[in-house]
Amino acid sequence: MTIKLEYFSDVLCIWAYGGQVRLDELKREFVDEIKIKYRFVPIFGSGKQHVNNVWKDEGGLPGFNAHLQEVVKNWPHICISPDLWTKVAPETSTSAHLYLKAIQLLTDSGEIDNTPLGEFNGRNCYEEAIWLFRDAFFREGKDIARRCTQDEIAQKLSLPLVKVHELIDSGRAYAALHEDDEARHDYKVPGSPTLVLNEGRQLLYGNVGYRIIDANVRELMYNPTHGEASWC
């Protein structure tokens, strides 16, 4: 039996960036026993304005930067640029999500290989693209809202830029992103990152420890009957 999970996140979310290590471990642990569908939630849909509004009484963009620098001190597995939200402040995460949905569509249709890439922690090409988008912003301090940055990342993975652009220009990537938004409302996803299990009956939101995630997945494996109350 394959356990289906849906993972909602914003590429500009520090908790999703730092928490990627847990997702990688989950895939290593369960290999063929889980299937993850990646969805996006626009927490930073109006990126710079959102940060300014939320942090207006705590230093605005520089204040948020200082907060991120403190957060990352607890995560030795990642490092971040000193320029986040000061020298580099993306206007939106939506354009990055749109680009990634185009890559996802090509992966789902078989036009991009979906097999794990050994050199990328077992991630497939699409999963590595999501990681590289996050890493380009958080570690390298690049504006991933810009098409030139998105294309640069896609070229690193030898992705077909013409086909990616066509899916965006035709509106198909927009439609796929809209489906993510509908699913977010249906499940009442509270924010980023959120892992949805058991067809929406279980939601794990925020900086959730790996053991909790592992326990929820194992409970579904041992008690797979849909509609039955979970002890976890």
Side-chain angles (χ1 to χ4, degrees):
M1 176 184 176
T2 300
I3 304 297
K4 295 180 181 179
L5 315 175
E6 294 181 61
Y7 186 69
F8 290 77
S9 69
D10 189 303
V11 289
L12 296 176
C13 171
I14 185 69
W15 306 109
Y17 180 57
Q20 179 64 45
V21 65
R22 296 168 187 153
L23 212 59
D24 290 340
E25 179 60 27
L26 191 70
K27 290 191 63 193
R28 278 192 294 269
E29 178 69 24
F30 295 100
V31 192
D32 298 324
E33 296 167 307
I34 63 171
K35 182 177 181 180
I36 303 174
K37 184 175 183 64
Y38 297 90
R39 295 190 182 276
F40 298 106
V41 52
I43 304 301
F44 293 91
S46 180
K48 185 162 60 176
Q49 182 178 340
H50 169 74
V51 173
N52 265 323
N53 289 341
V54 174
W55 285 79
K56 62 181 177 181
D57 296 327
E58 299 180 66
L61 296 176
F64 189 50
N65 174 288
H67 168 68
L68 295 180
Q69 301 300 331
E70 285 299 313
V71 166
V72 82
K73 289 179 181 179
N74 298 314
W75 287 334
H77 62 287
I78 59 171
C79 60
I80 63 174
S81 167
D83 300 330
L84 303 183
W85 300 107
T86 53
K87 293 181 181 179
V88 55
E91 294 290 344
T92 182
S93 60
T94 301
S95 60
H97 295 165
L98 187 67
Y99 201 100
L100 288 166
K101 293 311 288 189
I103 298 174
Q104 186 179 40
L105 287 169
L106 290 171
T107 303
D108 291 345
S109 68
E111 295 180 72
I112 293 177
D113 191 356
N114 193 36
T115 56
L117 305 173
E119 67 270 33
F120 294 136
N121 296 313
R123 303 178 197 128
N124 62 32
C125 192
Y126 173 56
E127 291 167 330
E128 182 63 10
I130 298 174
W131 168 253
L132 290 179
F133 268 63
R134 298 193 203 280
D135 199 52
F137 174 68
F138 284 106
R139 185 177 61 82
E140 300 180 48
K142 294 183 178 180
D143 187 350
I144 58 172
R146 295 184 176 276
R147 176 65 67 85
C148 59
T149 304
Q150 297 163 3
D151 283 346
E152 179 185 329
I153 295 169
Q155 287 174 325
K156 287 182 181 180
L157 295 170
S158 301
L159 297 177
L161 296 190
V162 173
K163 291 183 178 180
V164 171
H165 295 171
E166 171 58 25
L167 285 170
I168 295 172
D169 294 342
S170 69
R172 285 190 61 196
Y174 285 93
L177 192 58
H178 177 70
E179 289 178 5
D180 284 0
D181 193 53
E182 288 188 323
R184 173 173 72 102
H185 288 292
D186 289 343
Y187 291 139
K188 296 180 173 57
V189 169
S192 170
T194 297
L195 193 62
V196 177
L197 307 89
N198 201 7
E199 298 181 340
R201 297 181 183 89
Q202 294 164 242
L203 275 69
L204 301 178
Y205 165 54
N207 189 30
V208 178
Y210 178 76
R211 291 180 182 177
I212 296 174
I213 299 172
D214 178 276
N216 275 264
V217 172
R218 290 184 187 279
E219 175 67 17
L220 289 177
M221 291 174 61
Y222 297 146
N223 183 23
T225 306
H226 291 298
E228 196 169 301
S230 170
W231 283 85
C232 191

